[in-house]
Short mmCIF file of all heavy atoms in Angstrom, two decimals:
data_model
loop_
_atom_site.label_atom_id
_atom_site.label_comp_id
_atom_site.label_asym_id
_atom_site.label_seq_id
_atom_site.Cartn_x
_atom_site.Cartn_y
_atom_site.Cartn_z
N PRO A 1 88.74 96.63 101.18
CA PRO A 1 89.31 97.98 101.23
C PRO A 1 88.38 98.96 101.93
O PRO A 1 87.17 98.88 101.81
CB PRO A 1 89.45 98.34 99.74
CG PRO A 1 88.43 97.49 99.05
CD PRO A 1 88.36 96.22 99.83
N VAL A 2 88.97 99.85 102.71
CA VAL A 2 88.20 100.87 103.41
C VAL A 2 88.35 102.16 102.63
O VAL A 2 89.23 102.97 102.88
CB VAL A 2 88.68 101.04 104.87
CG1 VAL A 2 87.82 102.05 105.61
CG2 VAL A 2 88.67 99.71 105.59
N ASP A 3 87.51 102.34 101.61
CA ASP A 3 87.59 103.54 100.79
C ASP A 3 86.54 104.54 101.25
O ASP A 3 85.81 104.31 102.21
CB ASP A 3 87.42 103.21 99.30
CG ASP A 3 86.14 102.42 99.03
OD1 ASP A 3 85.20 102.52 99.83
OD2 ASP A 3 86.09 101.70 98.01
N SER A 4 86.42 105.65 100.56
CA SER A 4 85.51 106.70 100.99
C SER A 4 84.05 106.25 100.93
O SER A 4 83.25 106.62 101.77
CB SER A 4 85.70 107.95 100.12
OG SER A 4 85.47 107.62 98.74
N ILE A 5 83.73 105.40 99.94
CA ILE A 5 82.35 104.91 99.84
C ILE A 5 82.03 104.03 101.03
O ILE A 5 80.96 104.14 101.63
CB ILE A 5 82.14 104.14 98.52
CG1 ILE A 5 82.36 105.07 97.33
CG2 ILE A 5 80.76 103.52 98.47
CD1 ILE A 5 82.26 104.39 95.99
N ALA A 6 82.97 103.17 101.44
CA ALA A 6 82.74 102.30 102.58
C ALA A 6 82.53 103.13 103.84
O ALA A 6 81.68 102.80 104.67
CB ALA A 6 83.92 101.35 102.77
N ARG A 7 83.29 104.21 104.01
CA ARG A 7 83.13 105.05 105.19
C ARG A 7 81.75 105.72 105.19
O ARG A 7 81.10 105.81 106.23
CB ARG A 7 84.23 106.11 105.24
CG ARG A 7 85.61 105.55 105.54
CD ARG A 7 86.64 106.66 105.62
NE ARG A 7 87.98 106.12 105.73
CZ ARG A 7 88.54 105.73 106.88
NH1 ARG A 7 87.84 105.83 108.00
NH2 ARG A 7 89.76 105.26 106.89
N VAL A 8 81.34 106.19 104.02
CA VAL A 8 80.02 106.83 103.92
C VAL A 8 78.93 105.84 104.30
O VAL A 8 77.99 106.17 105.03
CB VAL A 8 79.80 107.39 102.50
CG1 VAL A 8 78.34 107.77 102.29
CG2 VAL A 8 80.70 108.59 102.26
N TRP A 9 79.05 104.62 103.79
CA TRP A 9 78.04 103.61 104.10
C TRP A 9 78.06 103.25 105.58
O TRP A 9 77.01 103.04 106.19
CB TRP A 9 78.26 102.37 103.24
CG TRP A 9 77.57 102.47 101.93
CD1 TRP A 9 78.11 102.85 100.74
CD2 TRP A 9 76.18 102.24 101.67
NE1 TRP A 9 77.16 102.86 99.75
CE2 TRP A 9 75.96 102.48 100.30
CE3 TRP A 9 75.11 101.85 102.45
CZ2 TRP A 9 74.72 102.35 99.70
CZ3 TRP A 9 73.87 101.70 101.87
CH2 TRP A 9 73.68 101.96 100.51
N ALA A 10 79.25 103.18 106.16
CA ALA A 10 79.34 102.85 107.58
C ALA A 10 78.68 103.94 108.42
O ALA A 10 77.91 103.66 109.35
CB ALA A 10 80.80 102.69 107.99
N ILE A 11 78.96 105.20 108.09
CA ILE A 11 78.35 106.30 108.83
C ILE A 11 76.84 106.29 108.66
O ILE A 11 76.08 106.42 109.63
CB ILE A 11 78.95 107.65 108.36
CG1 ILE A 11 80.42 107.73 108.76
CG2 ILE A 11 78.16 108.82 108.95
CD1 ILE A 11 81.16 108.91 108.14
N GLY A 12 76.39 106.13 107.41
CA GLY A 12 74.95 106.09 107.16
C GLY A 12 74.27 104.95 107.88
O GLY A 12 73.18 105.11 108.43
N PHE A 13 74.93 103.78 107.89
CA PHE A 13 74.34 102.62 108.57
C PHE A 13 74.14 102.93 110.05
O PHE A 13 73.05 102.69 110.60
CB PHE A 13 75.25 101.40 108.42
CG PHE A 13 74.80 100.22 109.22
CD1 PHE A 13 73.85 99.34 108.74
CD2 PHE A 13 75.32 99.99 110.50
CE1 PHE A 13 73.42 98.25 109.49
CE2 PHE A 13 74.89 98.91 111.26
CZ PHE A 13 73.94 98.05 110.75
N TRP A 14 75.16 103.45 110.71
CA TRP A 14 75.06 103.67 112.15
C TRP A 14 74.06 104.77 112.49
O TRP A 14 73.39 104.71 113.53
CB TRP A 14 76.44 103.98 112.73
CG TRP A 14 77.29 102.75 112.82
CD1 TRP A 14 78.39 102.44 112.07
CD2 TRP A 14 77.08 101.63 113.68
NE1 TRP A 14 78.89 101.21 112.40
CE2 TRP A 14 78.10 100.69 113.39
CE3 TRP A 14 76.14 101.32 114.66
CZ2 TRP A 14 78.19 99.47 114.07
CZ3 TRP A 14 76.25 100.11 115.33
CH2 TRP A 14 77.26 99.20 115.03
N ILE A 15 73.95 105.77 111.63
CA ILE A 15 72.96 106.83 111.89
C ILE A 15 71.55 106.26 111.89
O ILE A 15 70.75 106.49 112.80
CB ILE A 15 73.09 107.97 110.85
CG1 ILE A 15 74.38 108.76 111.09
CG2 ILE A 15 71.88 108.89 110.90
CD1 ILE A 15 74.67 109.80 110.02
N VAL A 16 71.23 105.48 110.86
CA VAL A 16 69.88 104.91 110.75
C VAL A 16 69.67 103.85 111.83
O VAL A 16 68.62 103.81 112.50
CB VAL A 16 69.64 104.31 109.35
CG1 VAL A 16 68.27 103.63 109.27
CG2 VAL A 16 69.76 105.40 108.29
N TYR A 17 70.65 102.99 112.02
CA TYR A 17 70.54 101.90 112.99
C TYR A 17 70.33 102.43 114.40
O TYR A 17 69.42 102.00 115.12
CB TYR A 17 71.79 101.04 112.92
CG TYR A 17 71.86 99.91 113.92
CD1 TYR A 17 71.16 98.72 113.71
CD2 TYR A 17 72.66 100.02 115.07
CE1 TYR A 17 71.24 97.68 114.63
CE2 TYR A 17 72.75 98.98 115.98
CZ TYR A 17 72.04 97.82 115.76
OH TYR A 17 72.11 96.79 116.67
N LEU A 18 71.14 103.39 114.81
CA LEU A 18 71.03 103.92 116.17
C LEU A 18 69.80 104.82 116.32
O LEU A 18 69.17 104.84 117.39
CB LEU A 18 72.30 104.69 116.54
CG LEU A 18 73.57 103.83 116.65
CD1 LEU A 18 74.78 104.71 116.94
CD2 LEU A 18 73.42 102.77 117.73
N GLY A 19 69.45 105.55 115.25
CA GLY A 19 68.27 106.41 115.32
C GLY A 19 67.00 105.61 115.52
O GLY A 19 66.20 105.87 116.44
N PHE A 20 66.80 104.60 114.67
CA PHE A 20 65.62 103.75 114.83
C PHE A 20 65.73 102.89 116.09
O PHE A 20 64.72 102.60 116.74
CB PHE A 20 65.42 102.87 113.60
CG PHE A 20 64.63 103.53 112.50
CD1 PHE A 20 65.26 104.41 111.62
CD2 PHE A 20 63.28 103.30 112.35
CE1 PHE A 20 64.54 105.03 110.60
CE2 PHE A 20 62.55 103.92 111.34
CZ PHE A 20 63.19 104.80 110.47
N GLY A 21 66.95 102.49 116.43
CA GLY A 21 67.14 101.70 117.64
C GLY A 21 66.71 102.45 118.89
O GLY A 21 66.14 101.87 119.81
N TRP A 22 66.94 103.75 118.92
CA TRP A 22 66.52 104.58 120.04
C TRP A 22 64.99 104.61 120.14
O TRP A 22 64.43 104.50 121.24
CB TRP A 22 67.08 105.99 119.87
CG TRP A 22 66.76 106.95 120.98
CD1 TRP A 22 65.89 107.99 120.94
CD2 TRP A 22 67.32 106.95 122.30
NE1 TRP A 22 65.86 108.65 122.16
CE2 TRP A 22 66.74 108.03 123.01
CE3 TRP A 22 68.26 106.14 122.95
CZ2 TRP A 22 67.06 108.31 124.33
CZ3 TRP A 22 68.58 106.44 124.26
CH2 TRP A 22 67.99 107.50 124.94
N ILE A 23 64.34 104.75 119.00
CA ILE A 23 62.87 104.72 118.99
C ILE A 23 62.36 103.35 119.44
O ILE A 23 61.45 103.24 120.27
CB ILE A 23 62.33 105.04 117.57
CG1 ILE A 23 62.73 106.46 117.15
CG2 ILE A 23 60.81 104.87 117.51
CD1 ILE A 23 62.43 106.78 115.70
N TYR A 24 62.97 102.30 118.90
CA TYR A 24 62.55 100.95 119.25
C TYR A 24 62.74 100.65 120.74
O TYR A 24 61.92 99.98 121.36
CB TYR A 24 63.32 99.93 118.42
CG TYR A 24 63.01 99.94 116.94
CD1 TYR A 24 63.89 99.34 116.03
CD2 TYR A 24 61.86 100.52 116.43
CE1 TYR A 24 63.61 99.33 114.67
CE2 TYR A 24 61.58 100.52 115.08
CZ TYR A 24 62.46 99.92 114.20
OH TYR A 24 62.19 99.92 112.85
N LEU A 25 63.84 101.15 121.31
CA LEU A 25 64.11 100.89 122.72
C LEU A 25 63.00 101.46 123.60
O LEU A 25 62.54 100.80 124.54
CB LEU A 25 65.45 101.51 123.12
CG LEU A 25 65.84 101.40 124.61
CD1 LEU A 25 65.96 99.94 125.02
CD2 LEU A 25 67.15 102.14 124.87
N SER A 26 62.52 102.65 123.27
CA SER A 26 61.46 103.25 124.07
C SER A 26 60.18 102.43 123.99
O SER A 26 59.42 102.34 124.96
CB SER A 26 61.19 104.69 123.60
OG SER A 26 60.56 104.70 122.31
N GLN A 27 59.94 101.82 122.83
CA GLN A 27 58.74 100.99 122.67
C GLN A 27 58.87 99.68 123.44
O GLN A 27 57.93 99.22 124.08
CB GLN A 27 58.51 100.70 121.19
CG GLN A 27 58.28 101.93 120.35
CD GLN A 27 56.99 102.64 120.71
OE1 GLN A 27 55.92 102.03 120.74
NE2 GLN A 27 57.07 103.92 120.99
N ALA A 28 60.06 99.06 123.38
CA ALA A 28 60.26 97.78 124.04
C ALA A 28 60.17 97.90 125.56
O ALA A 28 59.76 96.96 126.24
CB ALA A 28 61.61 97.20 123.63
N MET A 29 60.55 99.06 126.09
CA MET A 29 60.53 99.26 127.54
C MET A 29 59.15 99.61 128.07
O MET A 29 58.93 99.61 129.29
CB MET A 29 61.52 100.38 127.92
CG MET A 29 62.98 99.97 127.78
SD MET A 29 64.10 101.36 128.09
CE MET A 29 63.72 101.72 129.81
N ALA A 30 58.21 99.92 127.18
CA ALA A 30 56.86 100.26 127.62
C ALA A 30 56.13 99.03 128.15
O ALA A 30 56.51 97.90 127.85
CB ALA A 30 56.07 100.87 126.45
N PRO A 31 55.07 99.20 128.95
CA PRO A 31 54.30 98.05 129.43
C PRO A 31 53.78 97.20 128.26
O PRO A 31 53.45 97.73 127.20
CB PRO A 31 53.14 98.71 130.20
CG PRO A 31 53.68 100.03 130.63
CD PRO A 31 54.58 100.47 129.52
#
């Protein structure tokens, strides 16, 4: 079921995942 809790968790997951992913990408591209 896609209830309000699932939506909150999905939003929270993507915020943290993409936020840290952006930081990680800059590190991986460095020499």
